[in-house]
Structures are given as C-alpha cells and as structure tokens.
Amino acid sequence: MANILVLAAGRRVELVEAFKESLSSRIPGAGVFAADMKPALASACHVADKAFTSIRVDDPAYPDFLLLLCRENDVSLVIPTIDTELAVLAAERDRFAAAGVQLVISSPDLIGACRDKRRTAALFRDVGIDTPTIYPRDAIRFPAFAKPYDGSRSIGAAPLPTKEALTPAMMADEKLMFMEMIGDDHVEYTVDAYYNREGELCCVVPRERLEVRSGEVSKGVTRRGAVYDYLQPRLSGIRGARGCLTVQLFANLRAGRFAGIEINPRFGGGYPLTHAAGAAYAAWLVDEYLLGKTVSFFDDWESDLLMLRYDAKVLARNAEV
C-alpha cells in the first residue's frame, strides 16, 4: 500500500488535505498519515487518515524510529515540513530507499547551504541572484539587519536602525550575521519552486506576501511578471534540489532590483495558495515517487489569485489530552 506520511504535521491541515485529494484520485485505498510529538493537539493529525506520536528529531534514535514506523504502516513516501528534520533525513535517504521508503529530500550539500545563511548568499550569487550586502562585523553600515546564520521563522532576527541599537550581546553572538536593511520600497515574495526526481526545475510560482502572522503568510497573491522572469532561468541552476523549495526574496520592481534572502528546501506554510493556483506539487510527488511517472515543466498556473486566511477549528470528540 502506497501510504504517505507527513512529518511534524502540527497545523498543516491544508497540506495534508492536498495530499489526501491527490492520493485518493490516483491510488484509491491508500492513506495520508501524520506524525507529531503531540498528535492529540495537532489539528492536521485529526484530519489525516491516521496519526502517530513522534519522538524528537534530535533524538539519536529518530531515524530508526521513523523507518520502523514506515515499515509497520506501509508508508512509501515521507514529507518533511520543518528545517530541523532536513539534514537528519538527507543523510538517511539511501537507507530508506533501500527499504522501499522514499524521502522527499534535497541533497545534504544543498540543505547545508540553505541552513547556513552565509552559504545561502553564496548559492544565490552562484546562480546569478542578487542578495543584500553582508557586512563584516567591524564595518556594519546602518540601518542594518541582524539575524542568526542558522535561524528559521525569523527567530532572533532584529532590525538595527542606528548604531545605538547594536548591543554588546549582539556583537558577542557569533551566530549573528549583519546585512543591508532592505527598505520599504521593496516588496517581499515567497516563491514555490518544484524540482523533479532528477533535480530539474519544473515549476516556479511567486507569491507576494501581503500580510504575515507569526512568520507565516496570512494574505498573499500569486504573481507572474518581473519576479517570475528574473527567477525562473536562475533557479534552474540550483543543484541537488528535489520536491518543493521555498525561496524568499525582496523586489523593487521600479528599480529592477531583486534580493534573495533565504531558501527553505521543503514545503512552506503558504503552499496551499500555489496548490489552489493549479501548481499541484503534492499530486506530482505522488505521480513521480509512487506511480513512476515523469513530471516535466509546467507553467499553466493562475496568476493574481488572492488568498485570505482565517482561523478555523478542528473538533475531536472523546479526546484524551
């Protein structure tokens, strides 16, 4: 049975639903499962066909735990969703594949480059994408922006409008990097890019971030045009990518300036908008990894599609929490 397992499912209800829709129409009877450390309190776990309690990804036993879970539940495809899983799983890809379990994961080298924002900047430059200037610690130009080179979800990031905002603790923090402050004349985009099993770029969907809440887009709109034209040929130069990559950048369309910020080699929180626009990455993963089909370049997605998110509830009766 070709079941799918979504890791760290949490609130990713729409992602689980996208896989359920894609899988049921292609392999009737197969299920989409979810794992979380607290599945009873994870809304996506209640939407999944089955849910499992996970151990921590930094537990040395995690790879063996996950492989056994997949074997015991006929899971053939695993979808990671958080940054801390990626390096661990990339190192296990071949072992899982030998057991008949496909991990949708990019190469260890690409994941390492995406995790270290200093290497990410070099990666952007290698494929011809401009980046904000990174300042040496003894030559910071203000206004500036500070963030951990291995951070995620904007944790630890801080604007530095003036020199007075730079504290001794910041200067002593070896994980902080200091860079050019991008002004209000730039618009922020998150771009969902899909790479097939051979690492070929098959789709690029830019999403303008209109409003963000807790690091995740709450209002967004798909955009074709200058951002797409700039990124599409350049993103094809990234090596070692598989599945969905989310690329964040700022664009000043009037000045023609684009600045790549980071790459997350996994599904991002705003993917449901891309899915709704017709770029069915979840379905393509089923086609490629479970049905052995070939996915080629796709460009027929809907531009100017607006997504407005709101809070919704998931009810679980007779719950034990």
Side-chain angles (χ1 to χ4, degrees):
M1 185 68 71
N3 296 318
I4 295 174
L5 177 64
V6 177
L7 302 178
R11 300 173 62 248
R12 295 170 178 83
V13 171
E14 292 169 298
L15 181 61
V16 169
E17 289 179 335
F19 275 104
K20 288 180 68 174
E21 171 193 330
S22 302
L23 187 62
S24 63
S25 64
R26 287 164 170 77
I27 310 177
V32 177
F33 305 155
D36 196 90
M37 290 181 62
K38 296 181 179 180
L41 298 178
S43 52
C45 287
H46 292 281
V47 174
D49 294 308
K50 189 181 293 186
F52 304 100
T53 300
S54 175
I55 65 174
R56 292 180 59 89
V57 70
D58 56 4
D59 188 320
Y62 181 78
D64 291 336
F65 159 81
L66 181 59
L67 183 57
L68 180 61
L69 180 66
C70 292
R71 284 173 166 169
E72 290 181 341
N73 294 278
D74 297 319
V75 170
S76 297
L77 188 63
V78 176
I79 311 298
T81 66
I82 58 175
D83 295 332
T84 51
E85 297 168 329
L86 301 179
V88 174
L89 296 182
E92 299 286 341
R93 181 173 179 266
D94 291 342
R95 181 164 75 106
F96 274 63
V101 181
Q102 302 295 323
L103 300 174
V104 181
I105 197 81
S106 294
S107 70
D109 185 65
L110 178 58
I111 288 171
C114 295
R115 186 64 172 167
D116 186 330
K117 304 302 187 296
R118 300 165 299 184
R119 292 182 61 193
T120 306
L123 173 61
F124 276 129
R125 291 192 294 270
D126 286 345
V127 297
I129 297 173
D130 192 15
T131 66
T133 301
I134 298 176
Y135 299 127
R137 302 178 83 85
D138 60 353
I140 301 172
R141 297 175 58 184
F142 298 90
F145 193 80
K147 68 177 181 180
Y149 67 77
D150 61 349
S152 62
R153 296 185 296 133
S154 300
I155 295 174
L160 302 173
T162 64
K163 185 176 181 178
E164 287 68 31
L166 180 62
T167 67
M170 287 179 174
M171 288 298 292
D173 188 346
E174 295 183 355
K175 286 197 171 185
L176 278 186
M177 56 189 290
F178 302 92
M179 62 180 58
E180 169 193 359
M181 173 76 80
I182 300 297
D184 293 337
D185 54 350
H186 287 67
V187 175
E188 187 174 5
Y189 289 82
T190 298
V191 181
D192 291 322
Y194 184 92
Y195 294 80
N196 64 18
R197 294 184 70 173
E198 286 70 43
E200 299 167 338
L201 180 66
C202 292
C203 192
V204 176
V205 181
R207 299 183 277 106
E208 182 180 344
R209 290 160 70 96
L210 301 176
E211 184 176 293
V212 177
R213 185 172 67 175
S214 301
E216 187 171 293
V217 62
S218 59
K219 295 181 176 68
V221 58
T222 57
R223 295 293 195 204
R224 212 175 284 271
V227 173
Y228 177 87
D229 294 339
Y230 178 80
L231 283 180
Q232 189 272 320
R234 292 170 171 83
L235 290 179
S236 63
I238 291 180
R239 298 290 176 254
R242 301 183 193 92
C244 183
L245 269 64
T246 56
V247 180
Q248 288 185 281
L249 80 158
F250 287 90
N252 182 331
L253 300 183
R254 179 170 296 181
R257 198 261 171 117
F258 304 90
I261 302 296
E262 63 181 66
I263 303 173
N264 294 310
R266 56 170 174 77
F267 280 100
Y271 166 71
L273 173 55
T274 291
H275 183 82
Y281 296 3
W284 299 347
L285 290 175
V286 174
D287 288 341
E288 280 200 279
Y289 288 85
L290 300 182
L291 297 177
K293 296 183 178 181
T294 299
V295 173
S296 54
F297 192 80
F298 177 87
D299 196 31
D300 192 24
W301 49 269
E302 183 180 355
S303 184
D304 302 318
L305 179 63
L306 176 67
M307 177 182 72
L308 304 174
R309 278 178 157 162
Y310 63 95
D311 290 328
K313 64 181 181 297
V314 171
L315 301 177
R317 290 185 167 80
N318 301 316
E320 296 183 6
V321 295

